[in-house]
Amino acid sequence: MVPAGCLALIVLLQGAAQGQIHAAPSVACRMSESDARRFDAQKAGTRVVRDIDYGTFRWLELERHEIERLAASGIECRPEEAANEIHIAGRRFDPLVHPIENAESASLKAAAEPGWWIVQFAGPITDDWLWWLERAGMDPVQYLPVNAYLVWRESGPGAEGTRLASAPFLRWSGPLTSDLKRRPMAKLGEEGTGRFEALVYGGRGVEQAVGQMEAVGCRVTGSFRAQPDGRLWTVFFEATTETVDAAARLAETLWIGRAADRPELAGEMSSVVNAGGFQASGPIPGYLDTLDDFGADGSGVIWAVVDSGLDRQHPDLDIVEGINGPGCETPVPGDDLSFMKHGTAVAGILSGTAATGRADADGFLYGLGVAPGARLVAHNGICGLGPWPPDEGWESLTRAILTAGAVGMNASWFSGPADQQGYDSSARAMDILVRDGNFETADIAEPCPMVFAAGNNGPAAMTLRPPNHAKNII
């Protein structure tokens, strides 16, 4: 049965041309219900490229002079300037204005082979439209800004795919070429090889993708699920520049970037400054009074510190459970192996109790954290001695702390020393894990809120360090 929403769209959008370059670039705009009623009453003579009714608003594509003409008559259609753009691999382009035309694209279009495609929709994406993709034999795997999806196509378009290509809600579709699977990369060092990571399609089993990567010369060193259903996997490998080029041309490959080889620890700010407890002369004591006024101090909350570990004997820390990360094993699980005791310092800022009662000459209590009533789960997986990223994947960190009773985690660290590729696979992983931090409970989504020390870098462009480009973290 065809969803009712799709039938309504087909009627509403009948005759919309697909895959053609507009003579004059049109602009997408959003119109309120009240303005839409006035527009319907007097739209005669208006050249409308698209008109989609979402119920609470209308989405139109008009030539810019038409938007200006409507505004002059008191009808606002707010331009969405980037709505027709595709954002991928550091590029932003409108495929109808700047189409992808090269030999690789032409070859992929002609081949009836499995592979990744970009499907751009005519407006904000609806469930009905994704249903149509699935019916046409495509697997919509990853949203792509602004109104597009990366989809896996098992074979040639067939009858359903041909009908889909002319569907009125589809603006453009085309194969994902190798140059759109990665950003330009810096030259490799004298050794001529580098460490990389790739997102690959796992719907047919990750073994096939790994085998193809090894066949073109990649030395695969590890892999793990990139999302609960296993449709995407993260694969780590070592390769030369030429081998990376070959890996990018493989059908299963969705994205390739440089892989971090170590975590790096971040600094922090004091509780009283965060609470606004300062004057022109500097911070002022009294943070516990601030918490009393606020009516909350973290009591009843169990929070995880995933870091270098915590001093399990520290009198200012209320630790309910400790977890050893790979390569970070200690006799007392979760203990701090690092010489700088970074995790202990972070935990003190988070929920230090100041149990010793010691204070400096100005009355500031030593070891008083932001939420001194909270209890802690200590995870020492960022000790720097184990594999990075963890062999079992990023999800192994969140699964462990959720199983231990924590409701979220602090992450005062980076994955790698510098921002090289913007939103990468580690950022994508964190965005998924915030919503579901335990892949083992297939029928239950277990959220895992995360607080990252993203503010330690900036404000210039491309200075956030991975995975701090993630959208769902705090």
Side-chain angles (χ1 to χ4, degrees):
M1 179 178 176
V2 178
C6 281
L7 291 174
L9 283 167
I10 291 172
V11 173
L12 188 64
L13 299 175
Q14 59 184 353
Q18 303 298 317
Q20 300 176 356
I21 301 174
H22 298 306
S26 56
V27 178
C29 61
R30 185 186 298 256
M31 185 179 289
S32 68
E33 286 184 90
S34 58
D35 278 328
R37 287 192 293 269
R38 297 168 57 204
F39 172 72
D40 288 339
Q42 60 181 69
K43 68 179 179 182
T46 302
R47 183 178 181 274
V48 180
V49 178
R50 298 182 195 276
D51 183 354
I52 308 175
D53 189 346
Y54 284 85
T56 57
F57 67 92
R58 289 272 280 281
W59 186 270
L60 294 95
E61 254 190 81
L62 306 170
E63 293 181 5
R64 191 173 296 276
H65 72 87
E66 295 281 13
I67 296 177
E68 295 169 351
R69 186 179 65 79
L70 289 172
S73 66
I75 299 175
E76 180 185 17
C77 195
R78 189 176 74 247
E80 301 278 350
E81 298 291 350
N84 292 336
E85 294 180 347
I86 289 174
H87 299 180
I88 187 170
R91 295 174 57 181
R92 301 170 59 141
F93 62 97
D94 182 335
L96 296 186
V97 179
H98 301 289
I100 302 172
E101 294 178 345
N102 54 43
E104 181 184 7
S105 177
S107 175
L108 291 171
K109 287 178 181 177
E113 299 292 333
W116 288 105
W117 279 60
I118 301 174
V119 173
Q120 186 187 38
F121 295 93
I125 302 166
T126 72
D127 290 340
D128 287 350
W129 298 353
L130 296 180
W131 179 90
W132 271 96
L133 287 187
E134 293 168 354
R135 177 163 179 175
M138 294 185 176
D139 185 4
V141 176
Q142 175 65 44
Y143 167 76
L144 190 65
V146 172
N147 292 311
Y149 249 83
L150 288 161
V151 304
W152 176 261
R153 195 183 78 176
E154 273 294 342
S155 60
E160 290 285 0
T162 301
R163 282 192 356 214
L164 176 71
S166 60
F169 52 81
L170 184 71
R171 187 171 187 269
W172 175 85
S173 65
L176 180 68
T177 53
S178 58
D179 60 316
L180 295 179
K181 296 180 179 182
R182 55 193 169 149
R183 288 175 179 263
M185 296 182 184
K187 292 185 65 175
L188 299 176
E190 294 181 359
E191 67 279 4
T193 61
R195 189 165 182 258
F196 298 88
E197 59 180 319
L199 286 172
V200 302
Y201 187 66
R204 303 188 295 176
V206 71
E207 297 80 10
Q208 178 168 335
V210 168
Q212 291 180 344
M213 294 178 71
E214 291 175 335
V216 299
C218 299
R219 180 177 173 271
V220 176
T221 59
S223 62
F224 52 74
R225 282 187 295 170
Q227 59 192 57
D229 60 17
R231 288 187 296 165
L232 279 182
W233 280 68
T234 299
V235 177
F236 291 91
F237 63 100
E238 296 174 356
T240 64
T241 300
E242 292 74 18
T243 305
V244 171
D245 292 340
R249 290 191 293 271
L250 295 175
E252 274 81 0
T253 304
L254 174 64
W255 172 88
I256 291 179
R258 295 295 295 269
D261 57 3
R262 65 187 185 278
E264 294 203 0
L265 301 174
E268 65 290 310
M269 298 177 67
S270 70
S271 305
V272 69
V273 172
N274 279 333
F278 55 87
Q279 299 173 336
S281 59
I284 54 176
Y287 183 64
L288 287 176
D289 294 334
T290 300
L291 293 180
D292 287 340
D293 293 340
F294 189 60
D297 66 356
S299 295
V301 174
I302 299 176
W303 196 260
V305 177
V306 179
D307 209 284
S308 62
L310 277 60
D311 181 351
R312 294 296 306 272
Q313 309 304 317
H314 201 292
D316 287 340
L317 301 178
D318 185 359
I319 301 171
V320 298
E321 187 167 339
I323 301 168
N324 283 336
C328 305
E329 290 78 10
T330 56
V332 180
D335 216 348
D336 197 335
L337 281 169
S338 71
F339 69 91
M340 67 187 73
K341 304 300 179 186
H342 184 273
T344 301
V346 168
I349 293 167
L350 174 65
S351 65
T353 63
T356 64
R358 297 176 59 195
D360 64 17
D362 295 319
F364 290 100
L365 287 167
Y366 289 129
L368 181 62
V370 174
R375 309 182 76 192
L376 299 173
V377 170
H379 192 310
N380 65 8
I382 318 296
C383 73
L385 301 177
W388 191 258
D391 278 343
E392 295 185 21
W394 300 110
E395 180 263 351
S396 66
L397 301 177
T398 54
R399 173 168 24 100
I401 65 103
L402 290 173
T403 302
V407 297
M409 61 177 262
N410 185 84
S412 188
W413 43 266
F414 316 115
S415 180
D419 187 340
Q420 298 174 325
Q421 50 218 7
Y423 190 90
D424 64 0
S425 68
S426 67
R428 180 184 183 275
M430 301 308 156
D431 278 339
I432 289 174
L433 294 172
V434 166
R435 297 181 179 276
D436 186 0
N438 186 352
F439 294 177
E440 301 302 320
T441 52
D443 298 328
I444 302 172
E446 298 184 49
C448 184
M450 303 182 193
V451 179
F452 268 84
N456 288 58
N457 295 88
M462 297 298 286
T463 57
L464 283 179
R465 298 160 85 173
N468 292 332
H469 281 275
K471 312 304 179 187
N472 294 337
I473 63 175
I474 301 170

